Amino acid sequence: MGHKTEEMLQRNASKVRQVASAARSKVLTIDSMNERVKAVQYAVRGPIVIRAGEIENQLKAGSTEFPFDEVIKCNIGDAHAMQQKPITYLRQVVTGTCYPDLMDGENNNGVIPKDASEQARRILGSCGGGSVGAYSNSAGVPVIREDVAKYIEKRDGIGNVDPENIVLSTGASGSITTLLKMLVNGPQDGIMIPIPQYPLYSACLAEFNATVVPYYLNEETNWSLDLEELERAYSESDVKPKAICIINPGNPTGQVASYENIKKVLNFAYSRGLFVLADEVYQDNVYAEGAKFHSFRKVLLEMGEPYASEVELASFHSTSKGYMGECGFRSGYMEILNMDPDVKAQLVKLISSRLCPPVPGQAAMDVVVNPPVPGDDSYELYIQERTKVLADLKYKAKLVADTFNAIEGISCQPVQGAMYAFPNIKLPEKFIKEAGQKGLVPDAYYCTLLLEQTGICVVAGSGFRQKAGSWHFRTTILPPKEKMEKFAKLFTEFHLGILAKYE
Amino acid sequence: MGHKTEEMLQRNASKVRQVASAARSKVLTIDSMNERVKAVQYAVRGPIVIRAGEIENQLKAGSTEFPFDEVIKCNIGDAHAMQQKPITYLRQVVTGTCYPDLMDGENNNGVIPKDASEQARRILGSCGGGSVGAYSNSAGVPVIREDVAKYIEKRDGIGNVDPENIVLSTGASGSITTLLKMLVNGPQDGIMIPIPQYPLYSACLAEFNATVVPYYLNEETNWSLDLEELERAYSESDVKPKAICIINPGNPTGQVASYENIKKVLNFAYSRGLFVLADEVYQDNVYAEGAKFHSFRKVLLEMGEPYASEVELASFHSTSKGYMGECGFRSGYMEILNMDPDVKAQLVKLISSRLCPPVPGQAAMDVVVNPPVPGDDSYELYIQERTKVLADLKYKAKLVADTFNAIEGISCQPVQGAMYAFPNIKLPEKFIKEAGQKGLVPDAYYCTLLLEQTGICVVAGSGFRQKAGSWHFRTTILPPKEKMEKFAKLFTEFHLGILAKYE
């Protein structure tokens, strides 16, 4: 070993903070890790949900230590986990792409019907090597992007959609994360998000070290989005907001925005120079009489110039919600409108470094945007299944809100759309004090007790953020009817018990 | 409208940088977007590859303007895109999970064989609601994590693996990205990466604003990893390195590390206090006589204490490579060893905010780690298919290296493993000068001409980084034999043409 090498080794040794020894400490510790990751919070799968999983495992293993025999998981919009049956046609198309031998046609087994086989073949024809085993283009399989474009055109009945503006992703989460990442450089960049919000938004902004500019939805008027509140939020922000996120239909709040309301938001975004992110993953989930889904794109185009060609808009959709509910496939897309071409090139580069979204999920997305139509062999079964899912959700949307509103100290706005109720709970002072003594946020303490005493797993309102001094929780409306009815009974008893004990 | 409101509106108006007008500029521009995203480079799907896609589309549309009739895509390790047939059993298990009616058993169609059906049923039994349509646990489906753990135990023949230390992900890329993100806080954190490297590493570090600490593989000794070079890189780094990444078998370089070499690296990581990231996605792709894959985990455990229980290690694997080559399913896993429990909790929280990896992909991963064994009904077909894929790759590994080595001015190290050759090209001075005049890196110019003149699409060495003044490109060995032979012929002519013109 030369002199130079020895010198280098010595220099290196002195560079090492800790001398290697039996007590050598970890390299990656809570102190040395990424601070921004530590700042991330995501209650939808937080400590209460982790605890619910533990209890479930104990129950499975035969434990009798709990005063209930099952966990009712209302923490996450996960329809299939709650026994919702898949739409047969969707699974047939996906199966055709994964195992082409099963498709209809000569030399094939033919268990996949003709129309599903045709759709699967068309998708495969647009895949590398004709296989879902190949990476797709970074922005998705070409024909699926085309089908998404046609779906949007048909849905909105206005304007053309360029498939080049459709970017498929790993769930809508993948698109939302990517776009927020594109937007922000640091704490000097603000993003307006609704409160309450789906916590992916605050989680991403924490991770990317950007500033949350909260605007509050008005609970009294069913979580409406008031223009004056947008102006207030913009005005009081320490940093210039760069974008505004809207979730419509609302998560966790279940409201559906009116056409006029959307117009006002777009006008605000235009005049204030904001990029618009429209989270529209619940566009097929509208239950209330009189409520109707209007896409931000449609309203924008109908506003005409200069809005239509100037407001930069991204809209998100997913296979996970709607009546398909295929969360496990992790598929979503974003449509971008009026994006600067140079920025779009950067977006494509960024997603290319992660290669592509899952291709079987993309095939599932193709069915979401291109389901059977009247006259197709599979139409009848498809429409039966679709109608049943949506009718069940509509029934439960009302059941859940009615249940809460019948209980003293609870009020719940109607669930117009999406998959959630977000009831307001008045907690007794004594309860709030006890929570404080235990170092817990009152609604988190409430949800913990609810889980431990009844097996019901919901997410505390604080996980979505809420007006100071108000307390809520979010429950899905997804468990099967009889379970939802059991939920209603157990929950009512629990809440009355809390009142009796603490008031 | 009240006085306060008006005041607020005026204040807001003055906050807006540009007055809304017909010439209103974009909110999100190349100047206002995330600087870190701009810094990302990813040549594997860069401009040359985008151009190849355009040419391919033109050829499909009947264009005759190119002096070739097809693009030979050697830019990416995408086996199925290159007509590699899927392993039937894998697709059967995935199909069983997606469309359970097709499984073996009473009332079922029975097109999925018994053993595949059993495997699919076991997976479904561990999924939410018994469905791949449900989100899985954030770290993956429990029985698949167990199967991965057993696979590693069996592969290494030493120690036990806790399924809690297995984290499934959206491709290995998903895990690598997550772990690098956990590790770094900013430019003060250095990560040692091999040069040449798979550009996901540099892309992530650019995005996370951390410092690349390059160490150079030694081309002369088949891209070996020399300890003295590691010490040099560590010594000369301006920041303290926090982790070291190793890619074994190598990408883009195709070498396979020896047991002794791995031991030295681990000893270095131990003494210098480095977290170890072992990219082992090509662990099933070893072709050369005498070369053998040893996992970093195995070597570490065999080194005994204090190494075995102190060196923090993450190892990555994927469904995309090996003999399965199922890139489109986007599935991977990481195994973590000796990670601080508090950091692990943060890791789980971070991945929870993205919900879960694609579940059909997880099912595919289960087959990668738990394929048929002798005695199973599907074993014979499986082993036939597996043997063919690996034998073809072995043949092409040699063909490609031999082709390059037979050409003047090209030298290529043997392709011991993985799916790539990384030949060294001596470029004439005149050619380098011409590239400079065109504002192109010489090897990128070379690869551009290669594409335009022959239809062969490869990635320039500069996309992976390389020793200053040396030029390379990466080609996969994946196209079918006859296409690889065509590649050899076309490439030889092209290169001789370059020499004739510029020397």
Side-chain angles (χ1 to χ4, degrees), chain A residues 40 42 45 76 170-178 181 198-201 203-205 207-208 327 330, chain B residues 135-136 138 170 177-178 181 207-208 348-358:
Chain A
V40 166
Y42 187 72
R45 292 197 155 190
I76 190 164
T170 307
S173 303
S175 285
I176 293 169
T177 308
T178 299
K181 187 186 293 174
Y198 174 58
L200 175 65
Y201 291 93
C204 281
L205 296 177
E207 187 183 322
F208 306 149
C327 306
R330 311 303 298 119
Chain B
Y135 294 118
S136 73
S138 307
T170 307
T177 308
T178 299
K181 187 186 291 173
E207 188 184 321
F208 306 149
V348 171
K349 179 193 70 179
L350 179 64
I351 59 173
S352 294
S353 74
R354 307 299 195 272
L355 299 165
C356 72

Side-chain angles (χ1 to χ4, degrees), chain B residues 350-429:
Chain B
L350 179 64
I351 59 173
S352 294
S353 74
R354 307 299 195 272
L355 299 165
C356 72
V359 182
Q362 295 186 51
M365 178 55 85
D366 196 59
V367 180
V368 169
V369 297
N370 189 15
V373 292
D376 290 351
D377 290 348
S378 298
Y379 180 72
E380 202 178 329
L381 177 62
Y382 157 74
I383 205 71
Q384 265 175 29
E385 292 174 340
R386 177 185 194 275
T387 306
K388 181 173 182 339
V389 170
L390 291 174
D392 279 0
L393 287 172
K394 186 172 177 167
Y395 168 82
K396 290 183 282 184
K398 194 164 179 314
L399 169 71
V400 171
D402 288 351
T403 299
F404 291 132
N405 284 320
I407 305 172
E408 186 196 337
I410 308 245
S411 65
C412 183
Q413 297 298 320
V415 181
Q416 295 182 309
M419 298 176 164
Y420 314 101
F422 198 64
N424 186 311
I425 39 177
K426 296 223 175 344
L427 294 173
E429 278 311 311

Side-chain angles (χ1 to χ4, degrees), chain B residues 232-250:
Chain B
R232 181 210 59 76
Y234 186 94
S235 162
E236 291 179 7
S237 167
D238 295 330
V239 300
K240 180 169 186 317
K242 210 163 173 177
I244 181 169
C245 304
I246 303 103
I247 309 173
N248 177 51

Side-chain angles (χ1 to χ4, degrees), chain A residues 144-152 166 168 333 365 369:
Chain A
I144 301 177
R145 295 170 76 191
E146 286 167 22
D147 287 350
V148 171
K150 277 182 221 144
Y151 160 80
I152 295 170
I166 305 298
L168 287 148
Y333 75 77
M365 178 55 84
V369 297

Side-chain angles (χ1 to χ4, degrees), chain A residues 11-12 15 26-27 32-33 40 109 111 181 185 207 231 234-235 242 312 328 338 349 355 359, chain B residues 11-12 15 26-27 32-33 40 45 109 111 181 185 207 231 234-235 242 312 328 338 349 359:
Chain A
R11 205 163 50 236
N12 285 356
K15 218 174 191 174
K26 300 280 182 196
V27 176
S32 71
M33 69 171 281
V40 166
N109 169 304
V111 289
K181 187 186 293 174
N185 256 307
E207 187 183 322
E231 292 286 0
Y234 186 93
S235 163
K242 209 164 175 179
E312 295 149 74
N338 298 325
K349 179 193 71 178
L355 300 166
V359 182
Chain B
R11 203 165 51 236
N12 285 357
K15 219 173 192 173
K26 301 278 183 198
V27 176
S32 71
M33 70 172 280
V40 167
R45 291 198 155 188
N109 170 304
V111 289
K181 187 186 291 173
N185 256 307
E207 188 184 321
E231 292 285 359
Y234 186 94
S235 162
K242 210 163 173 177
E312 296 150 73
N338 299 326
K349 179 193 70 179
V359 182

